[in-house]
Amino acid sequence: MTTRTLAVVSAGLSTPSSTRLLADRLTAATVDALSQRGVEATVEVVELREHARDLADNLVTGFANESLRAAVDAVVGADAIIAVTPIFSASYSGLFKTFFDVLDKDALTGRPVLAAATAGTARHSLALEHAVRPLFSYLRAVVVPTAVFAASEDWAGGEVGSPALTARIHRAAGELADLVAGRPPVRAADPFADTPSFEDLLRGLG
């Protein structure tokens, strides 16, 4: 069985949050779908609320501290990404946007992404199509066809969610699994790949 890494980005602000709940449901469904395709998934969860101050500092200084760098590396080095944001004022949250702003513009090129969102009312569902999907298209990621939106009413029956939400979750998870299973694993970039060896430096001095 091959192994792939799945990064889960959750931009929920409260604890507990429906955003994290949806992220967990999508993760479980994707791990199961990958297993059915002969792929074992390792999961890295990035809870953005834990990096809010780090992100603000990065915007001002241009440098990520150790904690934020680890979160960025987890996302950039993953074979696929599940990204979930709450919807505020008909768009993604500022915290969600800020995190993807600090990534290198080419870091997610060709990467499979499952986009999802939560809000208090279904009136915000189109934000996935006019805000979240274009964000990842700009980053040249490959967003699965099914974007998953969950309004408060979708959780009326508890943490399992409505049958319609469950169907959307499994459809999107299957689409992401199909993309991941058909791709070679992501190779982490070597930051010292272009650094001359010690022997080359000595030869240069000679």
Side-chain angles (χ1 to χ4, degrees), residues 83 85 87 90-91 115-118 124-135 143 146-150:
T85 179
I87 299 299
S91 189
T118 59
H124 290 294
S125 60
L126 287 178
L128 273 167
E129 300 303 328
H130 69 63
V132 181
R133 190 181 295 275
L135 169 65
V143 186
T146 301
V148 180
F149 179 85

Side-chain angles (χ1 to χ4, degrees), residues 24-205:
D24 289 344
R25 290 289 314 282
L26 289 165
T27 301
T30 303
V31 169
D32 182 60
L34 284 169
S35 179
Q36 294 174 22
R37 291 158 176 79
V39 178
E40 182 180 2
T42 59
V43 177
E44 295 275 357
V45 178
V46 176
E47 191 72 67
L48 293 187
R49 65 186 298 275
E50 298 174 359
H51 300 286
R53 292 183 179 179
D54 301 336
L55 286 165
D57 288 343
N58 191 11
L59 288 179
V60 174
T61 65
F63 296 97
N65 63 19
E66 184 176 353
S67 176
L68 180 57
R69 174 49 54 191
V72 168
D73 289 346
V75 173
V76 171
D79 293 293
I81 300 163
I82 294 174
V84 191
T85 179
I87 299 299
F88 299 133
S89 302
S91 189
Y92 38 61
S93 72
L95 184 61
F96 184 84
K97 179 62 161 58
T98 301
F99 177 76
F100 289 100
D101 279 345
V102 305
L103 302 186
D104 183 272
K105 63 182 179 63
D106 298 319
L108 301 184
T109 298
R111 203 68 48 82
V113 173
L114 194 169
T118 59
T121 171
R123 289 183 301 160
H124 290 294
S125 60
L126 287 178
L128 273 167
E129 300 303 328
H130 69 63
V132 181
R133 190 181 295 275
L135 169 65
F136 289 111
S137 295
Y138 172 78
L139 294 171
R140 297 199 294 276
V142 180
V143 186
V144 302
T146 301
V148 180
F149 179 85
S152 296
E153 61 203 52
D154 286 306
W155 306 110
E159 293 186 359
V160 173
S162 68
L165 174 60
T166 298
R168 293 196 298 272
I169 287 172
H170 285 285
R171 183 167 63 247
E175 292 168 355
L176 184 62
D178 284 339
L179 286 177
V180 175
R183 288 168 49 90
V186 170
R187 301 295 184 186
D190 181 358
F192 302 107
D194 297 325
T195 303
S197 68
F198 185 66
E199 291 79 4
D200 289 340
L201 292 172
L202 287 178
R203 281 195 291 271
L205 290 175

